[in-house]
C-alpha cells in the first residue's frame, strides 16, 4: 500500500527564522523574504542553416535583497550593525552571515549563507494608539552571494 512508504522528509513549516552574524544568533524573525538569485538573459540573434532564431544565454548574476521582519525587542544589534553603514564604515559592516530556519523542535532545519552582507535599511515600527498589533521592525540585507547549505 502506498501509505506504508515513509517520505524522505516532510516539508518545513516556515514560522521561525534567525540570523547569525559572526557565528552568533543575533535575532529571531517572524518573516523573511527575497532569498534567491536570478540571471539576466542575454539574447543572441543566430542564423543557422538558413533559419534565424534567438539563442538565450545567462548574463550577469543578480542576488535579491533579503527582507527580515520581527516584533520589536530591546535587542539593538541590527541597529548597531546599520550604524556602521551610516557612519561610513561599509568595510566594517560587511559580514558573512546566515539565515536559519528552525523546525518545530527549535532545531536548525535549513540554512542560507550570505557573503559580504550589510543592512541597507533598518526601520522601526509604524504604531497606532488604537492598535493591538505587535510593533514590527524591518531590516533589508544586501549581499554579494548566497548559498543554500544543509542545516
Amino acid at each position: 500500500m502506498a501509505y506504508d512508504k515513509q517520505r524522505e522528509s516532510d516539508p518545513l513549516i516556515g514560522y521561525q527564522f534567525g540570523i547569525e552574524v559572526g557565528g552568533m544568533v543575533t535575532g529571531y524573525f517572524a518573516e523573511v523574504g527575497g532569498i534567491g538569485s536570478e540571471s539576466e538573459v542575454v539574447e543572441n540573434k543566430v542564423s543557422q542553416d538558413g533559419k534565424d532564431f534567438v539563442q538565450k544565454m545567462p548574463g550577469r548574476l543578480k542576488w535579491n535583497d533579503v527582507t527580515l521582519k520581527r516584533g520589536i525587542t530591546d535587542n539593538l544589534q541590527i541597529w548597531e550593525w546599520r550604524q556602521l553603514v551610516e557612519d561610513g564604515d561599509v568595510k566594517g559592516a560587511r559580514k558573512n552571515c546566515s539565515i536559519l530556519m528552525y523546525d518545530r523542535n527549535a532545531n536548525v532545519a535549513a540554512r542560507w549563507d550570505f557573503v559580504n552582507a550589510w543592512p541597507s535599511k533598518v526601520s522601526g515600527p509604524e504604531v497606532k494608539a488604537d492598535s493591538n498589533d505587535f510593533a514590527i521592525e524591518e531590516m533589508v540585507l544586501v549581499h554579494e552571494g548566497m548559498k543554500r547549505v544543509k542545516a
Side-chain angles (χ1 to χ4, degrees):
M1 183 182 250
Y3 296 113
D4 292 339
K5 292 184 180 181
Q6 279 189 323
R7 286 178 273 181
E8 190 172 309
S9 66
D10 287 328
L12 297 172
I13 298 172
Y15 73 97
Q16 188 175 7
F17 297 88
I19 186 167
E20 182 180 274
V21 181
M24 295 175 38
V25 173
T26 60
Y28 294 97
F29 292 82
E31 187 176 332
V32 176
I35 297 174
S37 68
E38 66 180 276
S39 295
E40 293 179 358
V41 177
V42 177
E43 293 186 356
N44 185 28
K45 295 177 182 170
V46 177
S47 184
Q48 185 176 357
D49 299 327
K51 294 185 180 185
D52 295 332
F53 64 95
V54 176
Q55 180 182 36
K56 294 185 180 185
M57 300 177 300
R60 283 184 277 195
L61 182 59
K62 298 189 303 185
W63 304 100
N64 299 340
D65 296 348
V66 179
T67 301
L68 301 102
K69 295 181 182 181
R70 71 176 182 186
I72 195 165
T73 69
D74 62 355
N75 183 327
L76 298 177
Q77 288 176 312
I78 64 172
W79 292 91
E80 292 164 353
W81 189 14
R82 173 68 188 149
Q83 189 64 49
L84 292 173
V85 178
E86 292 176 6
D87 292 343
D89 186 9
V90 178
K91 183 177 181 181
R94 291 182 194 274
K95 308 274 185 204
N96 292 340
C97 65
S98 299
I99 293 177
L100 312 170
M101 181 176 173
Y102 298 94
D103 64 17
R104 294 176 191 224
N105 298 318
N107 298 314
V108 176
R111 177 185 190 100
W112 294 266
D113 291 339
F114 297 85
V115 177
N116 288 331
W118 54 275
S120 66
K121 174 184 175 183
V122 174
S123 58
E126 294 182 20
V127 294
K128 296 188 301 185
D130 63 346
S131 174
N132 286 324
D133 295 336
F134 283 106
I136 302 295
E137 62 185 357
E138 178 180 311
M139 176 172 63
V140 177
L141 286 181
V142 295
H143 55 92
E144 297 173 1
M146 58 143 291
K147 185 181 221 178
R148 164 78 195 272
V149 295
K150 288 199 168 219

